Amino acid sequence: MALNHLSRLRPLLSQSLVGQLRSPLAAASRVSAAPRFPDVTCYPAACTRLYATKKAKAKAKGQSAKVNMNSALVEDIISLDEVKADMSAVLNALKDDFTRNLSIRTSPGALDHIVVTTQDGKFPLNQLGQISMKSPLLIMVNMSSYPEATAAATHALRESGMNLNPEVDGTIIKVPVPKVTREHRENLTKLAKQLSNKAKDSLRRVRSNAVAQVKKVKDGHSEDTIRLVEKQIQLMADNMALDIDKQVAVKTKELLG
């Protein structure tokens, strides 16, 4: 009697155990994976990861194409490389001005590019006279090759903003090396600020000219594209202005010690 009862319960127990061992997750996996991968048993986590990867790659590919398309449109309107080169030239000119005009200790090389205005035009001092260091405290400018420019060269030295007090002895201009005083350092920092402001003015002119060029060729291009180009030009100008400010900060710290 007990054996017969047990034999009748065995099928029910087997079905119950199989139901408990078969995870709902596994069952759902087979159901959900069947339409997508009919020949493969796939679990949701793996399928989702694979699908996300393919989707991300497709999205990245689409973004790359979009960037390239925009770049092509921009280059059809204006060469941003040329605009960047013009802006970089402004920064490089400022660095040159700092090197020539903001030396704490005056050296012969610092006088080379002082511009002298003569009746025949404007010339760097080193093209009119021979500059040499007579002693650590005295620079000599020999104007014997162009004696008629001696007065103009003396005036240019005095007005150079380098705190120079030249003295004339015939065709020789004696330039005492100025002492490094606190006042002199502060005057140089003011000059650095003036030079940086002039550089920013030049930078704004480059930006304005570039934007004007863009507006001239706006026909045949969407307003969104034109705005994009103008924003890129403005961003380039803003970044270059930050570089100018960094140069001023570094030079000011150097001058004040």
Side-chain angles (χ1 to χ4, degrees):
M1 186 72 176
L3 290 174
N4 291 335
H5 179 66
L6 183 60
S7 64
R8 285 198 300 270
L9 289 177
R10 185 177 294 117
L12 295 176
L13 291 172
S14 300
Q15 291 177 3
S16 176
L17 288 172
V18 170
Q20 290 177 10
L21 292 173
R22 180 177 295 167
S23 164
L25 178 63
S29 303
R30 292 186 175 88
V31 171
S32 61
R36 191 178 301 148
F37 305 108
D39 297 327
V40 179
T41 299
C42 181
Y43 292 94
C47 292
T48 302
R49 191 179 300 114
L50 179 62
Y51 174 72
T53 302
K54 288 185 176 180
K55 184 176 180 180
K57 289 182 178 179
K59 184 178 179 181
K61 184 177 181 181
Q63 288 178 341
S64 178
K66 185 177 180 181
V67 170
N68 291 335
M69 181 186 67
N70 286 340
S71 298
L73 286 174
V74 169
E75 292 302 319
D76 187 45
I77 297 171
I78 190 173
S79 173
L80 291 180
D81 287 340
E82 291 182 4
V83 175
K84 183 177 181 180
D86 291 341
M87 291 183 177
S88 297
V90 172
L91 180 63
N92 292 333
L94 177 66
K95 292 178 180 179
D96 290 341
D97 283 340
F98 279 1
T99 300
R100 292 197 303 265
N101 300 318
L102 299 181
S103 298
I104 296 178
R105 286 286 184 184
T106 304
S107 63
L111 307 183
D112 285 350
H113 300 285
I114 290 180
V115 177
V116 181
T117 302
T118 70
Q119 294 180 346
D120 298 324
K122 296 181 178 181
F123 303 92
L125 180 60
N126 63 349
Q127 291 186 10
L128 301 176
Q130 182 179 359
I131 306 172
S132 60
M133 202 82 181
K134 183 68 174 178
S135 72
L137 298 177
L138 182 64
I139 298 174
M140 305 283 283
V141 183
N142 189 336
M143 299 294 296
S144 58
S145 298
Y146 295 94
E148 64 275 15
T150 301
T154 304
H155 178 75
L157 288 164
R158 188 171 287 114
E159 299 299 321
S160 64
M162 298 175 64
N163 195 32
L164 303 178
N165 187 26
E167 301 173 359
V168 180
D169 183 7
T171 58
I172 301 296
I173 303 176
K174 299 178 181 179
V175 186
V177 176
K179 294 181 180 179
V180 184
T181 62
R182 184 68 182 180
E183 181 183 4
H184 179 50
R185 290 176 181 270
E186 291 175 351
N187 288 336
L188 289 178
T189 60
K190 292 177 182 178
L191 180 57
K193 186 64 177 177
Q194 293 173 4
L195 292 173
S196 69
N197 288 337
K198 289 181 179 179
K200 287 184 177 180
D201 288 340
S202 299
L203 182 62
R204 281 190 285 269
R205 284 194 292 272
V206 173
R207 178 189 58 78
S208 297
N209 291 338
V211 171
Q213 182 180 341
V214 170
K215 292 185 182 298
K216 287 181 181 179
V217 295
K218 65 180 181 180
D219 293 339
H221 300 280
S222 69
E223 292 183 1
D224 289 341
T225 300
I226 295 300
R227 280 196 294 269
L228 171 64
V229 176
E230 291 178 352
K231 286 181 179 179
Q232 287 181 334
I233 293 172
Q234 183 63 55
L235 180 61
M236 292 165 61
D238 290 343
N239 290 336
M240 196 61 66
L242 289 176
D243 287 340
I244 290 175
D245 289 338
K246 290 178 182 178
Q247 290 294 324
V248 176
V250 171
K251 179 56 69 171
T252 298
K253 184 177 181 180
E254 173 191 326
L255 292 172
L256 293 179

